[in-house]
Amino acid sequence: MSVFDTIITGGRVVTATDSVTCDIGIRDGRIAALGADLGSAARTIEAGGLMVLPGGVDGHCHIEQKSAVGSVMNADDFYTATRSAVFGGTTSVLPFAAQYKGTSLRKSVEEYHTLAGPKAVIDYGYHLIITDPTDQVLGQELPALIADGFTSFKIYMTYDALRLDDMQMLNVLASARSHGAMVMVHAENHEMIKWLSSRLLDKGYQAPKYHAVSHSRIGESEATHRAIKLAEFIDVPMLIVHVSAEEAMREIRQAQSAGLKIYGETCPQYLFLTAADLDREGAEGAKFCCSPPPRDKAAQEAIWCGLANGTFQVFSSDHAPYRFDETGKLKAGTNPSFKQIANGVPGIELRLPLLFSEGVGKGRIDIHQFISLTATNVAKLYGLHPRKGTIAVGSDADLALWDPEVERVVRWSDLHDDVGYTPYEGMTLKGWPVIVMSRGRIAVENGELMVVQGSGKFLPREMSTAAEPLGRLAPELDPGSNFGAHILTR
Ligand code: URP
Ligand code: ZN
Ligand code: ZN
């Protein structure tokens, strides 16, 4: 009898730190051995000429969620989104279970379980979105959910339906600190967006391109600065998500230089799109409306720099897909004003090929940075490491076997989502995954999906050390210097 179910031979096995040519023995869905001459197995995969990388972990995507603008449902369900993800080399996803104001967080999670369980083809967990931080939610529901493995959540500083004010943010941050959860923040100044939008609309500037004007760089950096200051005050780590521009990035860099546990995320749209994409014929620009919006070439260069110099720890898709029809981007008609267009772009399948081709292939980042940004750091930040995000004995055998030489022109018709278009149509990308494995199962081979709906597993997550407070209390919160007042519970 073979010791292993599968052996992968002759590939270059690359992790966030190492690159070695060795064989991988897989048993019961996990990596059981790394070495030479591992013997025989029920199945052998010849990987000569290929790179064997950890499967990607997409730490930010929206699946079966309603948009904050227009209340429109995402184009992809858990089947099409996870199918699309795995074809692009991603083997775990973390979308969001959103709380609707006035409802319970637990109820949102239960609803997501019923949606994801029967449909996902790869493993998944959820971040929570907190929109209604009542005493009951923060005092009881949230701690119980964190203990159940929902160890991260997102809060919004904009969107009428989602935003928290500073007081609410402070309450949420204090609760995250007490219970060790990772806080993700959508940082844009709500009033600046409102002010600019109403001025634009009053003067008749309605086209999709004005979405890019209405969400200013300063509005993003002001909110980023404020969020970081609130986090510093409460002494809680924080991840600023979907950073679009140098101004916000500088705030993050500065906080990191001061030793704060502030993390940064960026996404493909900020490397490969610009505001000019929103200025396409007719309503076509609606396809590119997301928040924050894509900026310009200089911003793209700055974001590349932030990926290379370590300001960003994670590179996520922020896949938030809406069809270009009345069920999605055009819900308000074929000539919508920029305030009526659901925000978000698709990207779950191309996240890795885009960064591999244009980052690793063009020498902007190295392969280890690529793996850190797309898998290892994501797993670490969100309490999935070392089960996910790396290649090590004991880790799940979630692997993407890449052919670094194969070149393909991006066509939506070759992708596996249910969106109807891709913002990256026509780009030539070099380096694609050819075999993808999820817990030792071949999930994609020869361009075919080999796993069935409902075979993905829910991932309860651990607390992350990245979410542990520094222990650097602001003097006003430190009983040693505030006349003995105990304000934080932990
Ligand atoms: O425009 C975007 N990013 N839509 C998705 C929702 C969000 O804020 O991440
Ligand atoms: Zn957001
Ligand atoms: Zn998002």
Side-chain angles (χ1 to χ4, degrees):
M1 208 183 80
S2 316
V3 179
F4 303 111
D5 304 322
T6 306
I7 296 180
I8 302 172
T9 60
R12 183 149 74 89
V13 178
V14 194
T15 66
T17 50
D18 301 304
S19 174
V20 284
T21 298
C22 73
D23 300 346
I24 302 179
I26 297 169
R27 191 171 52 237
D28 298 332
R30 294 188 175 216
I31 296 170
L34 295 165
D37 306 323
L38 295 182
S40 64
R43 174 165 194 165
T44 300
I45 299 172
E46 299 287 343
L50 300 180
M51 296 170 105
V52 184
L53 312 185
V57 183
D58 195 342
H60 183 163
C61 52
H62 302 266
I63 305 177
E64 299 201 42
Q65 194 187 324
K66 273 194 183 152
S67 64
V69 174
S71 209
V72 175
M73 190 45 108
N74 287 150
D76 283 309
D77 66 12
F78 272 89
Y79 175 55
T80 60
T82 55
R83 175 182 68 183
S84 184
V86 74
F87 270 97
T90 288
T91 49
S92 307
V93 290
L94 292 171
F96 297 89
Q99 177 195 28
Y100 296 104
K101 282 198 164 94
T103 67
S104 92
L105 272 174
R106 177 69 71 180
K107 187 163 167 282
S108 317
V109 166
E110 280 161 8
E111 278 171 17
Y112 265 71
H113 274 316
T114 63
L115 295 171
K119 287 184 257 178
V121 303
I122 53 171
D123 297 351
Y124 59 91
Y126 326 112
H127 311 287
L128 309 168
I129 290 178
I130 302 176
T131 60
D132 201 3
T134 60
D135 288 348
Q136 149 78 11
V137 165
L138 295 187
Q140 285 161 46
E141 283 206 307
L142 187 60
L145 284 162
I146 293 170
D148 287 350
F150 301 90
T151 55
S152 52
F153 54 79
K154 182 174 176 188
I155 53 176
Y156 286 77
M157 297 171 81
T158 188
Y159 292 125
D160 287 319
L162 305 175
R163 69 185 286 256
L164 305 185
D165 61 26
D166 289 359
M167 177 83 157
Q168 291 173 312
M169 279 181 72
L170 288 166
N171 284 333
V172 168
L173 296 182
S175 181
R177 185 182 195 278
S178 301
H179 303 288
M182 176 61 72
V183 186
M184 310 159 73
V185 179
H186 179 129
E188 290 188 280
N189 180 307
H190 185 67
E191 304 297 332
M192 287 171 79
I193 296 168
K194 255 173 84 174
W195 183 85
L196 203 40
S197 300
S198 74
R199 294 271 164 143
L200 284 162
L201 291 176
D202 283 353
K203 294 184 186 308
Y205 302 115
Q206 292 206 5
K209 61 189 168 199
Y210 294 110
H211 172 75
V213 178
S214 68
H215 288 243
S216 64
R217 290 159 174 82
I218 292 185
E220 185 184 0
S221 63
E222 185 283 326
T224 301
H225 179 85
R226 186 158 34 102
I228 290 171
K229 285 292 157 198
L230 299 183
E232 181 179 6
F233 180 56
I234 300 290
D235 180 35
V236 68
M238 176 181 279
L239 169 66
I240 307 293
V241 296
H242 47 47
V243 175
S244 75
E246 181 168 11
E247 291 79 351
M249 194 180 87
R250 262 198 258 122
E251 298 290 342
I252 295 169
R253 186 79 179 165
Q254 198 179 332
Q256 292 168 346
S257 301
L260 299 177
K261 287 171 95 170
I262 299 295
Y263 309 106
E265 175 205 76
T266 193
C267 315
Q269 49 271 36
Y270 307 118
L271 296 178
F272 304 109
L273 304 176
T274 67
D277 287 302
L278 281 75
D279 188 20
R280 297 205 188 183
E281 199 59 28
E284 280 281 311
K287 291 179 180 173
F288 303 86
C289 285
C290 59
S291 294
R295 308 292 183 180
D296 59 15
K297 289 277 171 208
Q300 290 182 347
E301 281 316 310
I303 298 292
W304 274 117
C305 201
L307 286 168
N309 72 17
T311 305
F312 297 114
Q313 286 67 44
V314 289
F315 184 74
S316 309
S317 70
D318 194 10
H319 183 73
Y322 302 99
R323 283 188 207 95
F324 192 59
D325 63 22
E326 69 290 348
T327 69
K329 292 282 186 183
L330 304 182
K331 185 178 176 195
T334 51
N335 189 22
S337 95
F338 69 89
K339 288 307 275 181
Q340 297 172 311
I341 299 167
N343 287 190
V345 293
I348 204 165
E349 186 163 344
L350 293 175
R351 176 181 72 114
L352 301 183
L354 284 164
L355 192 67
F356 188 95
S357 173
E358 305 309 290
V360 182
K362 302 215 165 138
R364 290 167 161 133
I365 55 171
D366 69 28
I367 186 68
H368 306 291
Q369 289 173 304
F370 171 82
I371 293 167
S372 299
L373 286 160
T374 57
T376 317
N377 287 350
V378 192
K380 284 183 178 171
L381 279 187
Y382 297 127
L384 285 172
H385 189 266
R387 179 171 174 194
K388 303 289 187 189
T390 192
I391 300 178
V393 171
S395 297
D396 282 357
D398 284 9
L399 302 167
L401 278 57
W402 284 73
D403 184 339
E405 297 305 323
V406 68
E407 217 170 69
R408 281 197 346 228
V409 178
V410 171
R411 300 278 172 233
W412 175 75
S413 52
D414 295 330
L415 301 183
H416 301 86
D417 59 53
D418 204 8
V419 186
Y421 62 89
T422 167
Y424 310 105
E425 185 81 22
M427 281 182 76
T428 300
L429 301 182
K430 188 172 173 191
W432 291 83
V434 288
I435 295 179
V436 184
M437 300 182 75
S438 153
R439 275 181 285 104
R441 313 169 296 156
I442 302 227
V444 173
E445 188 177 30
N446 298 325
E448 298 287 331
L449 184 70
M450 310 297 285
V451 285
V452 295
Q453 294 199 44
S455 62
K457 282 195 177 154
F458 171 67
L459 296 167
R461 292 175 289 119
E462 309 282 324
M463 307 291 186
S464 161
T465 54
E468 284 170 10
L470 281 173
R472 255 167 57 173
L473 284 181
E476 297 79 4
L477 294 181
D478 182 352
S481 54
N482 71 1
F483 309 110
H486 289 266
I487 295 162
L488 297 173
T489 50
R490 189 196 128 206

